[in-house]
Each structure stands twice: as structure tokens, then as C-alpha cells.
């Protein structure tokens, strides 16, 4: 089974002449792909096939990419939660004050 690996650039936003000045991020299908070969156990293939069918994803490659993106999003959210959970009461108060200040500047 061949699973494609997406090469990411520092930013996938590209300059354009729209009002915002930037195009939206490229879709997963339009990003540069790199072929990689992985050997996966039958039970993992079955899980991927089940996921692919349940999510109505075209290919196992797309399913793997979607799973990785979902995991990354979840991992980043967990990191943010861990950061805020680690703040002392004084640090949290200071952070809230900075938030209020920045809102007032918009």
C-alpha cells in the first residue's frame, strides 16, 4: 500500500489580488504529494477502510491525511489547554487583562 505524504511549506497562503490579499489555504488534494510506502497490519487496513467508508473519503491516502490532520488539531488543542491549566492565578489575571486591552484596540 502506498500512502502519500503532504509536503508543507512555512505558509500555504499565496499572495493574490483579492480584497484580503491572500488566497485561502490550498486543499489537501492540490498540495504537493510525495509517495511513501508503509506496511500496515490487516487490522489497521480494516480500520482505515471503515473510516474511509464512514467519512465518505475517496481513498485510503485521503483517509490517512484526514486522520493525521484531526489528530494534529486535537493535539494542538490539548497543548493550549495544558498551557492555560499550568498558569497561576496571577498569570491568568494578567492574560485576561491583556486580552481585554487587545480587544479595546480593535
Amino acid at each position: 500500500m502506498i500512502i502519500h505524504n503532504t509536503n508543507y511549506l512555512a505558509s500555504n497562503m499565496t499572495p493574490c489580488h483579492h480584497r484580503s490579499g491572500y488566497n485561502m489555504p490550498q486543499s489537501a488534494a492540490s498540495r504537493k504529494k510525495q509517495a511513501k510506502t508503509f506496511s500496515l497490519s490487516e487490522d489497521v487496513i480494516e480500520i482505515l477502510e471503515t473510516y474511509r467508508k464512514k467519512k465518505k473519503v475517496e481513498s485510503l491516502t485521503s483517509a490517512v491525511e484526514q486522520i493525521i490532520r484531526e489528530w494534529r488539531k486535537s493535539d494542538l488543542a490539548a497543548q493550549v489547554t495544558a498551557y492555560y491549566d499550568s498558569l497561576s492565578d496571577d498569570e491568568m489575571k494578567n492574560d485576561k487583562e491583556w486580552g481585554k486591552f487587545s480587544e479595546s484596540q480593535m
Side-chain angles (χ1 to χ4, degrees):
M1 173 182 172
I2 295 178
I3 298 177
H4 292 86
N5 176 25
T6 303
N7 287 332
Y8 292 97
L9 300 173
S11 170
N12 59 0
M13 302 288 276
T14 53
C16 70
H17 299 289
H18 293 278
R19 198 168 82 189
S20 69
Y22 290 93
N23 285 330
M24 293 302 292
Q26 297 171 331
S27 70
S30 67
R31 291 187 184 123
K32 185 176 178 182
K33 306 282 182 165
Q34 185 180 68
K36 295 286 181 187
T37 302
F38 296 89
S39 298
L40 302 172
S41 60
E42 288 182 24
D43 64 317
V44 171
I45 296 294
E46 287 178 26
I47 292 168
L48 286 172
E49 283 290 356
T50 300
Y51 178 91
R52 183 187 66 76
K53 290 174 186 172
K54 182 178 177 182
K55 298 288 188 167
K56 299 178 181 168
V57 179
E58 286 184 27
S59 67
L60 288 180
T61 297
S62 295
V64 169
E65 287 180 337
Q66 189 170 348
I67 289 167
I68 291 169
R69 286 190 182 93
E70 288 173 1
W71 170 81
R72 179 172 166 99
K73 183 178 179 180
S74 173
D75 187 57
L76 290 172
Q79 289 178 38
V80 169
T81 299
Y83 167 76
Y84 282 105
D85 286 348
S86 73
L87 294 178
S88 69
D89 289 341
D90 286 342
E91 290 170 320
M92 187 67 81
K93 181 181 175 188
N94 188 39
D95 194 55
K96 286 180 182 179
E97 288 171 2
W98 274 109
K100 288 178 184 176
F101 172 76
S102 65
E103 284 180 354
S104 72
Q105 300 303 306
M106 292 184 172

